[in-house]
Amino acid sequence: MATTTAAPRLPLSEVNANSIVSAPATSASQKPGLSKKRKADDDEPEYHIDDDICQNITISCNAVRAKVRRFLESGEMKVGEFQRAIGASSTIYGKFMNQNGPYKGSGSSVYRNAFAFFKLRELNGVKITKKKKVEGTTAEKGGKAGTKSDTNFEDITLEGEEENEVPVYDSCDEIRRKIRQYISKTGMTQAAFAREIAKSFHPEKKISGLAAFLGKKGPAAGNTSSVFYGSYVFFEKMRIKNKNPKTQHRLGMEDAWDGMDFHAIHDGSGPGMNVKTILDKVSYVVGVNQSVYQDEFGKPQVVW
C-alpha cells in the first residue's frame, strides 16, 4: 500500500501589531467582483488626525468658532473636555474664541487643532448629537396665544447667524415696537421673551436689560444691546416662517445700511446697522452752521 508524505509545514513567524496578515484564499463558492467592505467590528478610523486633509484648513476663523459653539451647544462635551481634546489651555482657547473676524486667530493652535478635530469627525461620519427639546403647550403658563411651536425656528438659519453677525435691518425704535406688540399679543412675560431671544446667540447667552432697552427712545438708542440684536434675529425668523413680506421700514433700512458708506467701509462693520459702536455717542466733524441729526433709520444726516 502506497503512502503519501505531507509537505513540511513552514515555521510560524513572529506576529506583532505591525505585521501584515495575508487574506485567506478565496474559495470557489465565493463570487468574484464583490467590493471590499470594512468589518462592522473594525473600529480603526479610516482617516487620521495627521492626514493632510485634516491639516489643510479650508474655512475661516469665524467658521471654526461657529463649529466650536455649535458642538458645545449640543452637550456632547463640556468646554474643559473639548479643550483637552484639542490640546488647548483655557487661556489660549478663550483668547481665540473671544476674537472676531475671518482671519483673527489664524495663528492660534486652537484654530488648527479645532479644524482638524471637526474634519476628522466629518470624514469618519461622526455627527453632532442634537439636544432634545421639550415642547410645552403654551409660551408661558397662563399665556394667551403664544405656543412653543410659534417660536420653533430650527429649520431657519440666517446669514451670519452662527458667527453672531446677522446684518440688522430694523431700527431700535422698530424693535421696541415689535417687542411690545408681541408681548401684548401672546401674553408672554418679559422674562420668558428674554429666554426666547437668548436662542438667537451661538452659544445661547443670558439676556438682561430688556426693561432698560424698552425704556430708551431713538432709532439708534440701544443699538449695542443684546436685546436689540437677539430680538431682531427672533423677529426676522418669525417673518420668514410666516412668509410675511418686508415692510417699507425694512426696505428703507436695507438702503440706508447697505455697507457702502464711509464709516461702514472704514470700521469694517459691513452691511446692516452697526451693533458694536454706540451710535448715539459718535462725534462728527462738521462745518460752520452745520449740524448732525439721526434720521428714522439711525443714520447721521448733515443739515445746514
Side-chain angles (χ1 to χ4, degrees), residues 19-300:
S19 298
I20 300 176
V21 182
S22 299
T26 304
S27 66
S29 62
Q30 289 179 311
K31 295 181 180 180
L34 295 176
S35 61
K36 294 180 180 179
K37 295 183 178 180
R38 294 168 58 85
K39 293 181 180 179
D41 59 351
D42 183 1
D43 58 358
E44 182 181 355
E46 187 175 350
Y47 294 90
H48 300 270
I49 196 76
D50 55 355
D51 288 345
D52 288 343
I53 195 171
C54 294
Q55 295 298 319
N56 296 331
I57 304 177
T58 56
I59 59 178
S60 69
C61 294
N62 275 349
V64 168
R65 279 185 277 267
K67 282 181 175 288
V68 172
R69 294 184 181 110
R70 191 164 60 249
F71 178 68
L72 295 177
E73 276 183 344
S74 74
E76 189 169 332
M77 279 188 184
K78 295 181 179 178
V79 176
E81 293 172 333
F82 179 70
Q83 290 171 355
R84 289 190 291 273
I86 63 172
S89 68
S90 58
T91 301
I92 63 172
Y93 170 83
K95 181 178 180 181
F96 174 76
M97 292 302 295
N98 287 327
Q99 290 177 305
N100 184 35
Y103 307 108
K104 292 290 186 180
S106 58
S108 171
S109 61
V110 177
Y111 177 45
R112 298 189 301 272
N113 295 349
F115 172 83
F117 174 86
F118 291 118
K119 191 65 178 179
L120 181 63
R121 286 170 58 94
E122 175 190 331
L123 293 169
N124 288 330
V126 181
K127 296 182 179 180
I128 295 176
T129 304
K130 292 184 178 180
K131 277 185 177 179
K132 291 185 178 180
K133 294 190 176 182
V134 179
E135 294 188 356
T137 55
T138 60
E140 187 79 359
K141 287 186 177 180
K144 296 178 183 176
T147 63
K148 284 289 184 181
S149 60
D150 292 337
T151 57
N152 182 359
F153 306 128
E154 286 187 346
D155 57 338
I156 301 174
T157 302
L158 304 180
E159 177 186 355
E161 181 180 348
E162 293 181 345
E163 295 84 11
N164 295 323
E165 293 180 359
V166 174
V168 176
Y169 295 114
D170 267 335
S171 70
C172 294
D173 280 342
E174 179 67 5
I175 288 296
R176 277 185 277 270
R177 183 192 69 79
K178 289 182 177 181
I179 292 174
R180 293 188 179 103
Q181 184 182 64
Y182 182 78
I183 288 177
S184 175
K185 180 180 178 181
T186 63
M188 184 180 285
T189 65
Q190 288 192 15
F193 181 74
R195 290 193 292 272
E196 288 295 338
I197 64 175
K199 301 171 187 175
S200 301
F201 295 88
H202 300 274
E204 289 185 22
K205 63 183 294 183
K206 184 177 180 180
I207 301 295
S208 59
L210 176 57
F213 176 76
L214 290 174
K216 295 180 183 292
K217 187 175 182 180
N223 68 298
T224 60
S225 168
S226 296
V227 175
F228 176 53
Y229 175 85
S231 297
Y232 174 80
V233 173
F234 175 85
F235 288 121
E236 178 62 5
K237 287 189 174 186
M238 182 170 289
R239 183 189 71 81
I240 293 172
K241 180 176 182 178
N242 295 335
K243 298 180 172 58
N244 293 330
K246 296 178 181 179
T247 64
Q248 287 301 312
H249 176 81
R250 165 63 182 270
L251 295 174
M253 286 290 294
E254 290 182 359
D255 288 338
W257 295 94
D258 60 2
M260 300 305 295
D261 61 281
F262 170 78
H263 296 286
I265 296 172
H266 183 263
D267 61 23
S269 58
M273 178 178 266
N274 189 324
V275 295
K276 294 180 171 46
T277 302
I278 302 177
L279 296 177
D280 283 351
K281 293 186 177 180
V282 174
S283 299
Y284 300 94
V285 178
V286 296
V288 179
N289 298 324
Q290 291 182 329
S291 61
V292 179
Y293 78 98
Q294 284 181 348
D295 62 18
E296 62 180 300
F297 306 117
K299 292 286 289 188

